[in-house]
Amino acid sequence: MAGRPEGGAKRRNLRSLAAVFLVALMAVPLAAPASAARIDDQFQAWLAKDLWPEAKAKGISKATFDAAFDGVSPNLKLPDLVLPGEKPKTPKKQHQAEFGSPGNYFSEKTLGAVTAGGRTRAGANAKTLAAIEKRFGVPAGVVLAIWGRESGFGAAKMPYDAFEVLGTKAFLATRKDMFRKELLAGLEMVERGLVSRKAMRSSWAGALGQPQFLPTSFLQHAVDFDGDGRADIWNSTPDTLASIANYLVHYGWVKGRDWGFEVTLPDNVSCALEGPDQGKKIADWAAMGITRVGGKPFPPNEARAEGFLMMPAGRNGPAFIVTPNFYVLKEYNESDVYALFIGHGADRIASSDRRFAGSWGKVDGLYRSDIASMQRGLEKLGYDVGGADGLPGFKTRRSIGDWQAKNGWAATCFPDKGIVEAMR
């Protein structure tokens, strides 16, 4: 402080002045980049002068366009928006969110619901699922696990107007171009009569129907499998399940291969060998001493093919040898734990309630900002961590393992307080 008042009278005077100032401050509205009404005016002008000409050029009628945006205003409560007058910034929640164990993603409450629900629906839809597997080569368990995870087997309510979400994000989001493409695809869906305007309900991210497809995915991958002449991912179970399978096939699903296997990793095999760019024949992984949990050998067709080490918690959790199909599952959601949830859930739906053999260890109390700082430190040392985003993907995990081994530490391939402090 520059100075300190002396005596009770001066302190009382300062408190009185502060109170007067606070009352005056409360009476004046805080300055904002733009009012909601002004943003709405700008949005309506953008619709008319910017979006409509492009929509018209793509064959969208004025009637469809007007119906899509009738009564629609920007939803300023959606995440990842940049309001007029503001600069893009990292959300505080993303910056400060406490980092948790990957094991948190596999709560038995969620996994159990997907497993039980999947088994029930496997029996009820056995003929449909068999026909889908014959046509697309995707096992029933995988399709059911995605259906359960994405929309609770169709039970999840879609609380948003899709054109409100997509319009807001195309106008204000950090990824405007992506959402503009999705918005135009949504208009095409309605224009072509593939879905009614009323049915265009979505998640906060603009995902539609039981498979949670964005509009471009619907146009590319939605399938009419019940033979009624239209692909209906809102009300038709056969169309929903076949559309999920078709999506996976588009991204390279290999018929006849598993997604992966939980394994035991010997101490002398480095966890830094993880990643889809460090593949080996599964037989070669086995020759290094890596074995399937439970003692079964790898199936012969898998042993001859390529596999990849995947350790979402480094040495602090289960280890897996995964196939290219694991990375196809990541095309549905770019997350190792999401793909693992689907693969594990599919196994449990198809066969048994077996849990992971490896346990998920405890994680140090870190924030995403701590991990981002650690990533920047590793980058300065020449490591490719895949970006300093506060999320420890496989490139970050193996970089940690390499650094630990080179500096005489036990290689865990996972963030902890020690390496965060070492990188400061």
Side-chain angles (χ1 to χ4, degrees), residues 161-288:
D161 181 296
F163 287 110
E164 176 189 83
V165 170
L166 296 171
T168 299
K169 288 182 171 285
F171 181 56
L172 294 172
T174 54
R175 294 180 292 169
K176 291 181 182 180
D177 291 344
M178 186 201 91
F179 283 105
R180 185 185 184 100
K181 182 179 179 181
E182 297 299 341
L183 179 56
L184 290 165
L187 288 168
E188 181 183 346
M189 289 169 62
V190 177
E191 179 68 30
R192 290 170 54 187
L194 303 176
V195 61
S196 70
R197 168 64 181 89
K198 184 179 179 181
M200 289 292 284
R201 306 293 300 176
S202 76
S203 71
W204 62 265
L208 308 167
Q210 297 187 46
Q212 284 292 273
F213 279 176
L214 287 170
T216 55
S217 291
F218 176 88
L219 293 174
Q220 292 172 354
H221 309 303
V223 173
D224 170 25
F225 206 72
D226 60 14
D228 68 352
R230 59 190 295 263
D232 182 359
I233 63 170
W234 294 269
N235 305 295
S236 169
T237 295
D239 291 3
T240 293
L241 298 176
S243 296
I244 292 170
N246 191 42
Y247 182 99
L248 296 177
V249 168
H250 174 86
Y251 284 102
W253 185 270
V254 181
K255 183 177 181 179
R257 294 208 66 185
D258 209 317
W259 67 270
F261 309 89
E262 187 179 356
V263 298
T264 300
L265 193 74
D267 290 340
N268 65 337
V269 176
S270 172
C271 52
L273 292 173
E274 182 183 6
D277 53 350
Q278 299 192 97
K280 304 177 187 291
K281 286 185 179 180
I282 292 180
D284 293 338
W285 288 113
M288 296 168 66

Side-chain angles (χ1 to χ4, degrees), residues 299-313:
N301 68 306
E302 296 287 4
R304 293 189 295 268
E306 190 174 33
F308 314 90
L309 181 63
M310 202 279 294
M311 302 176 70

